[in-house]
Amino acid sequence: MDIRVNDILEMKKQHPCGGKSFLVLRSGMDFKLRCSTCGREVMVPRVKAEKNIKKVIRSEENEA
């Protein structure tokens, strides 16, 4: 799966604060994600995150 920094991921399960969208801060073997609702940052293993992704919203600056 092609996930880049600054992409917004919409997840199947929600964060405890109620938000379902996360901003990708770092990608590699694991993702560093920031919750768009509360701003909390979490590290999630890549395998677990890819199973939980519903939709990827690509930002325009990454298209180039």
Side-chain angles (χ1 to χ4, degrees):
M1 200 173 237
D2 183 32
I3 306 295
R4 301 179 193 153
V5 176
N6 292 328
D7 285 351
I8 296 174
L9 305 178
E10 186 177 318
M11 303 299 225
K12 293 177 185 173
K13 296 182 181 178
Q14 63 186 10
H15 190 248
C17 73
K20 285 192 171 188
S21 60
F22 293 83
L23 175 68
V24 178
L25 301 175
R26 192 184 82 124
S27 65
M29 281 299 290
D30 45 36
F31 292 126
K32 186 170 187 177
L33 305 173
R34 178 181 294 145
C35 178
S36 298
T37 307
C38 67
R40 178 85 39 137
E41 293 181 4
V42 294
M43 294 288 286
V44 183
R46 184 179 197 100
V47 175
K48 187 173 181 180
E50 285 182 349
K51 287 181 184 176
N52 199 15
I53 294 172
K54 184 189 287 187
K55 181 169 52 170
V56 178
I57 302 165
R58 185 91 4 126
S59 61
E60 275 69 36
E61 64 227 24
N62 283 344
E63 298 286 328

